[in-house]
Amino acid sequence: MLFSGEKMIELFQKIKDIDHPIVVHINTKKGKGYKFAEQKPDKYHGVSKFNIEEGLKSSSSESISSHVGKKLVKMADEDESIVAITAAMPSGTGLNHFAVSYPYRYYDVGIAEQHATTFAAGLAKEGMKPYFAVYSSFLQRGYDQIIHDISITKKNVTFLIDRAGLVGNDGETHHGVFDLSYLNIVPNITVMAPKDSKELDLMMDLSAKIDGPVAIRYPRGNTYYINKGSYDEIKLGTYEVLEQGSDVLVLAIGNMVKKALSVRDILLKENINPTIVNARFLKPMDEELLSELLKTHSKVVTIEDNIVSGGFGSRINKFIIDNNYNVKIENIGIPDKFVEHGSVDELFATIGMSDEQIADRIKKL
């Protein structure tokens, strides 16, 4: 039976005064009443402004999420033990591609990240290689399971952490700005973040070779390529120097490498020549390269799109303290506050992390 809005109101009025428990089971249809949304409901989950008469226009750009999904399909072509898990976000995480290619190796567990994480541990115990693609802020729901079901027993589970960093208009509940901090304190897990989409592919390849839990974090948006540094096979726990300077050492992780390079262009105009390092691993650290660089730089800056407390910068701070390096250090990251919604560029400016603001902070060193 199809009910109009008026009929639904009439039903609720009839039952509101009933003096015993009652269940109203309503089957809703996503996009009902708007033909474009009815035809492609997943495309209208969260949208920016568009022409209502024409519907959303398809984009020629490839999202990072879709890129990840296609890459995982290629990996599964070569390795029958690879399986994919989503918590009700197949299109959002790009796993819709995997679902079509390998429907019997694809699992949608619904909105149940805790179960998805424990389920992944169970599959790994039986010799499979589960990849759980999940938004950064949603993975917080499975934190206990990350520690107790996966990391303690060193299960071969890989977390593909989508929407890491600021996500724009999705706002406070979706900004993925805590994962570097909450994963930093968990033993036995490898945590990495690529400088661009090419390096993301290399990290996914590496994840299949690591014995133990792995997390790869990457931002929302379309694929991009920096084309600096090496794109050869990545060795576990290695950083790379993208630009050699002399005045200040800038250690950037993940999506912030691109920002660090833009900041360098600003500083060069001020006759400040920074060394830019792609610190692509949170855990393990490249202690050998860090030691060499800290001997030749007296000023150090870390940049991360994660809460500044407990994350990448904190890990670098501890290394400096533990090894008695006499350097001045500045940690740049998300301040201790919940960031509102808005475009990513607007939000970075609001929290003091635009390219110009970061350059100013470095100049003050």
Side-chain angles (χ1 to χ4, degrees):
M1 180 182 296
L2 294 176
F3 275 19
S4 65
E6 291 79 9
K7 285 289 186 181
M8 291 296 299
I9 292 172
E10 182 180 332
L11 172 64
F12 290 139
Q13 287 174 335
K14 286 181 179 179
I15 66 174
K16 69 178 182 179
D17 294 324
I18 294 176
D19 62 356
H20 58 77
I22 186 167
V23 175
V24 179
H25 189 182
I26 303 168
N27 181 24
T28 60
K29 182 175 181 181
K30 194 175 181 72
K32 179 66 178 176
Y34 183 56
K35 66 176 184 179
F36 296 113
E38 289 182 357
Q39 292 166 358
K40 297 182 178 180
D42 60 311
K43 301 298 182 185
Y44 289 82
H45 179 68
V47 296
S48 302
K49 60 183 179 180
F50 64 95
N51 186 320
I52 196 171
E53 301 297 331
E54 299 176 358
L56 290 173
K57 295 296 183 182
S58 58
S59 173
S60 58
S61 301
E62 181 183 46
S63 72
I64 297 174
S65 304
S66 181
H67 181 85
V68 167
K70 292 175 182 177
K71 171 62 177 176
L72 193 60
V73 169
K74 292 179 181 177
M75 292 171 64
D77 290 342
E78 303 296 325
D79 188 343
E80 292 183 354
S81 68
I82 289 177
V83 296
I85 303 170
T86 179
M89 298 297 290
S91 297
T93 60
L95 290 190
N96 52 321
H97 302 292
F98 198 100
V100 172
S101 298
Y102 293 105
Y104 296 105
R105 292 158 61 184
Y106 162 80
Y107 303 94
D108 185 343
V109 302
I111 306 175
E113 288 79 5
Q114 300 94 323
H115 169 60
T117 306
T118 299
F119 177 52
L123 291 173
K125 186 176 185 297
E126 294 303 311
M128 308 303 288
K129 293 180 182 175
Y131 282 75
F132 177 22
V134 57
Y135 289 9
S136 172
S137 62
F138 296 176
L139 183 57
Q140 292 161 191
R141 301 168 185 160
Y143 190 52
D144 181 72
Q145 288 73 24
I146 292 173
I147 296 173
H148 291 107
D149 297 337
I150 290 179
S151 295
I152 286 179
T153 52
K154 300 181 183 180
K155 293 293 188 295
N156 289 338
V157 174
T158 297
F159 297 97
L160 298 172
I161 305 180
D162 204 325
R163 270 60 168 186
L166 297 177
V167 296
N169 287 309
D170 283 345
E172 294 99 324
T173 60
H174 282 55
H175 292 314
V177 297
F178 302 103
D179 54 78
L180 288 180
S181 296
Y182 68 69
L183 293 175
N184 187 22
I185 62 173
V186 180
N188 297 335
I189 189 169
T190 297
V191 183
M192 44 189 163
K195 66 187 177 189
D196 62 15
S197 304
K198 287 183 180 178
E199 192 167 76
L200 175 55
D201 286 348
L202 296 174
M203 287 185 174
M204 290 182 69
D205 288 333
L206 176 60
S207 70
K209 303 172 185 176
I210 295 174
D211 185 20
V214 175
I216 308 172
R217 76 185 303 264
Y218 45 90
R220 179 186 184 185
N222 293 327
T223 55
Y224 66 95
Y225 305 101
I226 292 174
N227 286 325
K228 277 188 179 292
S230 171
Y231 289 95
D232 296 330
E233 182 180 2
I234 298 175
K235 293 183 180 179
L236 181 64
T238 57
Y239 298 172
E240 64 171 350
V241 177
L242 298 182
E243 297 286 358
Q244 182 65 59
S246 56
D247 298 318
V248 60
L249 173 61
V250 178
L251 302 165
I253 189 168
N255 192 37
M256 294 297 94
V257 172
K258 180 170 61 172
K259 182 174 282 290
L261 291 168
S262 297
V263 169
R264 182 177 186 271
D265 291 337
I266 297 172
L267 292 173
L268 287 174
K269 297 174 183 176
E270 302 284 340
N271 295 317
I272 299 172
N273 185 12
T275 296
I276 306 296
V277 175
N278 171 23
R280 51 198 172 192
F281 287 88
L282 175 72
K283 303 174 70 172
M285 301 169 65
D286 191 339
E287 297 186 1
E288 182 178 350
L289 180 60
L290 270 177
S291 296
E292 292 177 10
L293 293 170
L294 289 169
K295 291 173 184 175
T296 57
H297 295 79
S298 61
K299 300 178 180 68
V300 181
V301 174
T302 64
I303 308 177
E304 62 191 299
D305 52 349
N306 180 84
I307 202 82
V308 77
S309 302
F312 170 65
S314 295
R315 194 164 182 82
I316 298 297
N317 294 350
K318 186 175 187 307
F319 180 81
I320 288 172
I321 292 170
D322 288 348
N323 291 279
N324 298 310
Y325 287 107
N326 185 21
V327 298
K328 186 173 184 180
I329 186 161
E330 176 88 359
N331 297 137
I332 297 176
I334 310 298
D336 189 14
K337 60 183 286 188
F338 289 106
V339 181
E340 59 188 2
H341 71 278
S343 74
V344 172
D345 287 341
E346 289 172 340
L347 295 179
F348 273 131
T350 298
I351 61 175
M353 286 186 65
S354 70
D355 296 352
E356 294 76 13
Q357 289 167 325
I358 293 175
D360 286 340
R361 290 178 68 172
I362 292 175
K363 282 189 286 186
K364 290 177 182 178
L365 286 176

